[in-house]
Amino acid sequence: MQTNEQSGEMSHETHEIVVNDRSVRIINAEPTGSQILAGAGFEPVDDYVLIEKAKVGSRVISLDERVSLAGRIAQFFAFHTGEMFSFTVNEHSFQWGRKIITEAEIRELADVPQDDVLVLGRRDGEPRVLAAGDEVDLGKPGTEHLRTEKRLVEVFIDNLPKEIPRGVYTTEELIVVLEVKPGYLLNLAGPNGLVTLKPHQRIYVKQGMRFFSQVPGGGSSR
């Protein structure tokens, strides 16, 4: 663990913080943004912007703003001064100092458990379920909105429950994951009855969807 200490304080008690995933110790219970940046080795401090991970969301810390470290290990992110980007997770606002943010960084910043997935809403298309290693471009016009959902959803195939990973599937992928007999058609139950899924059709699978297999040229297994 690398240790950095702020000198010139009356107390010699140190406080642990984390800056960009690196542990730092500060001799000050209420350091300024400048002192945090300097203590973590980001100098000159006015070349950087500091973001604190809050209990819910995140916030930008100005250079002269004091932050209370008592009773906690505060977590910060330092970025070269430049344009700031915003996004939301479950309607909570977050700030980020780079145009691109990874799925892992969003998960860490928003405390998303591994049992959940991050779903990126799209104004003009199907939602995108983020996989490990995916990135989100925050530089596009407007604010990107994400939400968390359970990784698995329960659907029904021929009235039998089955858990499958949440996401977008083609008809052919659904036939495989739902273990439909080869050569059978697949129907989706909707408000107006059964609709036969077309070849290569893309479906965003949600909790509680009901599917029914069908012998080609015959009735469904409903």
Side-chain angles (χ1 to χ4, degrees):
M1 179 185 295
Q2 183 173 351
T3 301
N4 293 274
E5 295 188 356
Q6 288 290 85
S7 60
E9 302 294 339
M10 294 298 294
S11 172
H12 293 290
E13 181 183 359
T14 62
H15 299 268
E16 182 182 2
I17 62 174
V18 176
V19 183
N20 290 4
D21 294 327
R22 184 165 62 93
S23 181
V24 177
R25 299 202 75 89
I26 299 289
I27 305 179
N28 191 340
E30 293 188 0
T32 63
S34 293
Q35 289 173 322
I36 293 171
L37 286 168
F42 293 97
E43 296 181 288
V45 295
D46 52 2
D47 281 353
Y48 294 89
V49 63
L50 188 67
I51 293 175
E52 181 185 13
K53 177 181 176 181
K55 187 174 182 180
V56 178
S58 66
R59 66 191 187 103
V60 177
I61 304 297
S62 63
L63 295 179
D64 58 355
E65 182 178 352
R66 290 194 174 275
V67 179
S68 175
L69 304 180
R72 66 191 183 107
I73 300 177
Q75 186 170 355
F76 302 90
F77 300 89
F79 300 94
H80 274 285
T81 305
E83 189 175 2
M84 296 297 297
F85 301 92
S86 297
F87 64 96
T88 68
V89 178
N90 295 337
E91 300 184 351
H92 299 301
S93 180
F94 293 84
Q95 287 72 43
W96 196 244
R98 290 194 303 268
K99 178 181 177 182
I100 300 297
I101 187 169
T102 66
E103 185 266 357
E105 289 169 332
I106 299 173
R107 187 176 290 278
E108 178 185 5
L109 195 59
D111 287 327
V112 179
Q114 289 301 317
D115 287 344
D116 291 353
V117 292
L118 285 157
V119 181
L120 177 63
R122 289 181 171 175
R123 305 171 186 84
D124 55 354
E126 63 195 19
R128 174 188 169 196
V129 178
L130 299 187
D134 280 353
E135 298 179 338
V136 176
D137 184 354
L138 302 177
K140 298 177 182 179
T143 300
E144 297 291 358
H145 299 285
L146 299 104
R147 67 180 187 276
T148 59
E149 301 281 2
K150 290 299 179 185
R151 190 174 295 276
L152 298 178
V153 293
E154 183 182 68
V155 298
F156 295 85
I157 175 66
D158 298 331
N159 290 321
L160 296 176
K162 187 176 183 64
E163 282 193 333
I164 65 174
R166 182 185 301 274
V168 177
Y169 294 82
T170 63
T171 300
E172 292 75 13
E173 290 169 337
L174 272 175
I175 286 174
V176 172
V177 76
L178 294 176
E179 301 179 286
V180 176
K181 292 181 180 179
Y184 275 48
L185 302 178
L186 187 61
N187 298 309
L188 173 62
N192 298 318
L194 295 182
V195 176
T196 300
L197 300 182
K198 299 177 181 178
H200 311 300
Q201 182 175 344
R202 293 172 63 85
I203 301 293
Y204 178 65
V205 175
K206 300 178 182 178
Q207 178 77 15
M209 279 184 164
R210 291 184 174 271
F211 299 91
F212 296 89
S213 61
Q214 176 185 334
V215 179
S220 75
S221 300
R222 185 173 181 177

